[in-house]
Amino acid sequence: MISRADIQRIQSLPDDAMVLMAVVNDNPDLPDNHGTGLQTRVKVGMQEAGVPPTPMGQVMDDLQVARTHHGRSSLYIVGEDLFERYEIQADLPERFHYGRPLKSLLDSILELMPTVAVMAVDNEWARLFVLRQGELQEVSSEENIRLDDGDRWDTIVSGTRHVPGAPGSGGAGRGQPGSGPRSDSGTDLFEAREDAARQRFYNQKVQQLGQVLDVLDIEQLILVGTVQRLAEFKAEIPAKAPYEVIGETNVIGGTSWANPAEILEKITPIVEEHRQKTEEQVLHDIQEQGVMEVERVLEMVQQSRLYRLIIPEDGSQMHLYRSHNREVPYFTAQKDVTESPLDGSLMERVTLEEVLPDFVDLYGVEVKRLHGDYANRLVKEFGGLAGLPRY
């Protein structure tokens, strides 16, 4: 897993540093990685990316070292006096970049692995998990406060009323003539108190959940449990909760004893389905109100008129032109523009991936990546780059 400290350190690499940034799918369970398949594929990928012999050799040596794999992919950051490898619990598309730090590469990795909260709840337990970078970790577990001794079943039921006048009920005391048959009021009272205790428990957990997810900056929630209990829990969630319930599921044996691995297996398809629905909605929004011509998109970005920029998953496949003078930035897709119209500085050819941090920092734009078929549709139907206007 890549920690926040790791991310900050990588994002803080000097702009003029020359580094290799590589994503390698080294999952040992994949047939393509058996034998020499992994080493051969990675070497070819680095050669095509123009990686020098020294960092290439360091990665190749590391791939051949016998080690216990805890992840399915690895992120390599290799430079002068720098060699870092991070194991990631996801099968990521391989990418190789050598040159100035490609800081947006981290964003593309993390976007494929959204952070989601998971609440497993029943009438006895509420367990909160966080899915981050493909790993599910339990962060809290709380048991429902059981009814105290004064509210126990036998205490409540023994205090039931009796109907006067009916023989044999024992209503005058033990061994005394009866005054009527027992009613079911004790049972009803117990069930009512148990329902009230469960409702208080759910209400308390919902309030705590909102606070925790706000601190963790998590906006999606998956619920785990039986249909009835989840319906009762959801009834306590306010209509304007700062998070969205994106799915529900259940596990064998109940939520109290469920293994995190079992929960992860159940929620993974839910997360993927939600990602696809979100990307489908983005394409719909582009068609309804988006800006689609590349030069027009770049113009509106520089006017701070777009709040979201939509790109394919790998922005290194598109080239733009950026002015050398970073103090007076200018961007265009026109090949025949050799000088910036703002200050006359020369233009340099760069990839879209390289300028994304500039768009974010200078113009406050949010970058949204589309993947798979949705990325292909963005290229074929909308020219490979689109934006959603602020107004």
Side-chain angles (χ1 to χ4, degrees):
M1 179 179 290
I2 309 173
S3 69
R4 290 187 178 183
D6 296 331
I7 294 173
Q8 291 175 353
R9 185 173 61 256
I10 295 171
Q11 298 284 26
S12 299
L13 289 172
D15 289 337
D16 58 352
M18 298 297 287
V19 296
L20 165 63
M21 303 182 72
V23 180
V24 177
N25 189 331
D26 54 0
N27 186 345
D29 295 332
L30 294 180
D32 288 347
N33 289 339
H34 295 172
T36 60
L38 173 63
Q39 287 79 7
T40 300
R41 188 181 69 250
V42 171
K43 184 175 183 179
V44 171
M46 289 193 290
Q47 288 175 336
E48 292 178 348
V51 180
T54 298
M56 181 187 300
Q58 289 178 278
V59 172
M60 296 304 299
D61 290 343
D62 186 74
L63 287 175
Q64 297 178 34
V65 172
R67 64 175 187 265
T68 301
H69 284 264
H70 298 289
R72 303 205 299 266
S73 298
S74 294
L75 169 65
Y76 285 94
I77 308 294
V78 184
E80 186 177 359
D81 301 323
L82 174 66
F83 184 89
E84 298 179 356
R85 172 173 46 82
Y86 303 94
E87 295 188 349
I88 302 170
Q89 290 291 348
D91 288 310
L92 299 175
E94 291 185 332
R95 295 181 61 182
F96 302 93
H97 166 81
Y98 182 78
R100 290 178 291 189
L102 193 61
K103 299 178 181 181
S104 62
L105 181 63
L106 282 176
D107 297 328
S108 68
I109 293 174
L110 298 176
E111 191 169 338
L112 272 174
M113 301 179 294
T115 300
V116 178
V118 181
M119 174 64 82
V121 64
D122 56 23
N123 61 328
E124 295 183 348
W125 287 91
R127 302 170 62 193
L128 179 63
F129 301 82
V130 171
L131 175 66
R132 179 179 285 112
Q133 297 180 32
E135 299 183 25
L136 187 68
Q137 297 181 339
E138 187 167 0
V139 296
S140 69
S141 178
E142 185 174 344
E143 186 178 9
N144 187 7
I145 299 175
R146 306 304 298 167
L147 297 177
D148 60 33
D149 192 63
D151 288 332
R152 289 173 52 197
W153 165 269
D154 55 354
T155 305
I156 294 175
V157 173
S158 65
T160 56
R161 295 182 293 107
H162 295 76
V163 179
S169 67
R174 294 187 182 277
Q176 301 299 315
S179 62
R182 293 164 62 103
S183 77
D184 292 330
S185 61
T187 302
D188 295 341
L189 179 59
F190 177 82
E191 292 179 349
R193 291 191 178 183
E194 192 175 51
D195 289 343
R198 181 169 55 247
Q199 184 176 358
R200 288 194 300 271
F201 178 60
Y202 288 168
N203 182 269
Q204 178 189 33
K205 296 312 299 178
V206 165
Q207 293 182 20
Q208 294 175 353
L209 181 64
Q211 298 170 356
V212 172
L213 298 193
D214 181 59
V215 172
L216 297 176
D217 194 25
I218 297 177
E219 298 180 351
Q220 283 82 40
L221 173 69
I222 297 175
L223 297 178
V224 177
T226 63
V227 173
Q228 179 180 353
R229 298 310 178 206
L230 294 189
E232 295 168 346
F233 185 81
K234 287 173 63 177
E236 301 297 326
I237 298 178
K240 295 184 178 180
Y243 51 85
E244 174 190 7
V245 177
I246 65 172
E248 302 175 15
T249 187
N250 199 5
V251 288
I252 300 173
T255 59
S256 305
W257 306 100
N259 188 299
E262 180 186 359
I263 295 177
L264 179 61
E265 182 179 358
K266 286 294 190 71
I267 68 172
T268 298
I270 297 175
V271 175
E272 177 61 21
E273 182 181 1
H274 180 261
R275 185 183 66 80
Q276 293 184 12
K277 286 182 178 179
T278 301
E279 296 192 8
E280 178 71 35
Q281 182 62 48
V282 170
L283 288 176
H284 175 76
D285 293 342
I286 294 172
Q287 193 165 20
E288 291 294 319
Q289 57 183 349
V291 180
M292 291 166 273
E293 197 273 322
V294 174
E295 191 64 25
R296 177 61 174 160
V297 170
L298 293 177
E299 178 183 333
M300 292 185 67
V301 165
Q302 294 173 85
Q303 294 171 348
S304 297
R305 293 174 58 188
L306 299 181
Y307 75 90
R308 176 175 288 180
L309 181 68
I310 299 96
I311 71 169
E313 54 189 310
D314 184 0
S316 64
Q317 303 303 310
M318 177 179 289
H319 287 83
L320 307 174
Y321 296 87
R322 174 179 61 186
S323 59
H324 273 284
N325 186 356
R326 306 296 287 274
E327 298 298 323
V328 186
Y330 178 72
F331 305 90
T332 183
Q334 300 181 35
K335 298 180 181 180
D336 57 347
V337 177
T338 59
E339 297 181 352
S340 168
L342 301 181
D343 65 348
S345 61
L346 295 177
M347 305 295 291
E348 61 175 336
R349 187 171 184 261
V350 294
T351 66
L352 171 62
E353 200 75 55
E354 291 178 82
V355 300
L356 290 178
D358 292 333
F359 291 165
V360 174
D361 294 340
L362 295 173
Y363 312 113
V365 70
E366 169 194 327
V367 177
K368 175 65 178 178
R369 297 174 188 267
L370 301 186
H371 306 84
D373 291 340
Y374 302 103
N376 292 335
R377 287 182 56 188
L378 178 66
V379 172
K380 294 178 180 179
E381 299 176 21
F382 305 113
L385 191 65
L388 294 176
R390 300 182 189 273
Y391 50 87

